Amino acid sequence: GQNIDQPTEMTATEGAIVQINCTYQTSGFNGLFWYQQHAGEAPTFLSYNVLDGLEEKGRFSSFLSRSKGYSYLLLKELQMKDSASYLCAVRVHFSGTYKYIFGTGTRLKVLA
Amino acid sequence: EPEVTQTPSHQVTQMGQEVILRCVPISNHLYFYWYRQILGQKVEFLVSFYNNEISEKSEIFDDQFSVERPDGSNFTLKIRSTKLEDSAMYFCASSEGGGYTFGSGTRLTVV
């Protein structure tokens, strides 16, 4: 089956660094994506990895190890506006098409 | 920046009624998707659409649901005989084959 695990909630302080982990067991792996979702809004794309290693994009970085089925999203210099849910999603490829399988999301609270 | 547009933003319907959720994908995108998110739960795949036909659908996407691309720009999700448990946010997404762009969603409330 397809399974994605991430912590339900995390809390961090403004200005700090936080790492959100994601582990997955899927078939047809074709990339791992991170999305940010504020309550009542659509997910917005943050970062993705297809190959192993670290991808850096401003304050956000994402890491992937395909052999371990593991990824993390690193958020630096946290701001209050970073309080949101962070969704780990694996893109899988079947018969010429793609779909995303989402984790349940990690709700991040940034405290002053 | 190009956007995926969804209408309406909020739809309230009586149980048993039919609803049509509308989406205008980004114009040069070839792959279209519908996802739903029940309040407090994860985003779930419903269906993918490519080359004017369904390429994959989930077990959620039963005979109650259908999708259409009635013209060159719109992509619709029809839900027949709505049930209370169909209440959710429905997100349309499109892609060229890489990362998705999601629309802002339609909140469907079945009463």
Side-chain angles (χ1 to χ4, degrees):
Chain A
Q2 316 273 34
N3 194 45
I4 298 174
D5 288 311
Q6 50 181 133
T8 306
E9 273 194 13
M10 298 183 72
T11 304
T13 306
E14 197 175 14
I17 299 172
V18 71
Q19 178 175 312
I20 302 174
N21 296 323
C22 172
T23 57
Y24 63 91
Q25 299 92 38
T26 62
S27 53
F29 177 87
N30 194 261
L32 191 136
F33 291 71
W34 284 96
Y35 283 84
Q36 180 191 62
Q37 186 179 31
H38 286 98
E41 297 182 12
T44 54
F45 170 76
L46 290 177
S47 184
Y48 83 102
N49 300 70
V50 177
L51 302 176
D52 292 351
L54 188 68
E55 291 287 336
E56 297 189 79
K57 203 174 178 184
R59 292 191 300 117
F60 300 95
S61 305
S62 58
F63 172 83
L64 175 67
S65 168
R66 288 171 296 170
S67 63
K68 295 180 179 176
Y70 168 69
S71 174
Y72 67 73
L73 178 70
L74 196 69
L75 294 82
K76 302 174 189 172
E77 300 167 18
L78 280 174
Q79 302 173 9
M80 299 297 288
K81 67 178 182 179
D82 296 329
S83 292
S85 285
Y86 291 85
L87 313 182
C88 173
V90 172
R91 183 173 69 183
V92 296
H93 182 226
F94 291 125
S95 304
T97 189
Y98 299 95
K99 69 178 180 185
Y100 284 20
I101 301 168
F102 283 86
T104 52
T106 298
R107 191 166 34 244
L108 174 67
K109 295 180 189 176
V110 180
L111 305 176
Chain B
E1 191 168 323
E3 286 185 347
V4 175
T5 306
Q6 287 187 246
T7 55
S9 56
H10 193 182
Q11 171 97 43
V12 181
T13 190
Q14 291 218 322
M15 197 166 54
Q17 296 297 304
E18 175 182 287
V19 295
I20 297 176
L21 310 183
R22 291 184 163 81
C23 171
V24 180
I26 293 173
S27 60
N28 63 335
H29 283 186
L30 302 176
Y31 299 85
F32 314 116
Y33 307 85
W34 284 101
Y35 283 75
R36 80 171 183 191
Q37 187 175 32
I38 295 169
L39 185 64
Q41 298 187 23
K42 64 181 176 182
V43 178
E44 300 174 289
F45 170 78
L46 290 178
V47 66
S48 59
F49 192 88
Y50 171 71
N51 203 25
N52 287 321
E53 59 183 24
I54 290 173
S55 42
E56 190 178 351
K57 57 185 180 179
S58 72
E59 60 276 6
I60 302 168
F61 194 91
D62 58 20
D63 292 342
Q64 187 193 1
F65 295 88
S66 61
V67 289
E68 260 193 342
R69 190 154 159 81
D71 53 45
S73 58
N74 290 286
F75 179 50
T76 62
L77 175 69
K78 183 187 290 186
I79 310 174
R80 287 178 280 274
S81 198
T82 49
K83 300 175 281 197
L84 294 177
E85 52 266 37
D86 295 326
S87 296
M89 282 288 284
Y90 288 81
F91 294 108
C92 173
S94 70
S95 78
E96 298 174 271
Y100 286 3
T101 302
F102 281 94
S104 54
T106 294
R107 181 177 299 284
L108 177 65
T109 304
V110 182
V111 296

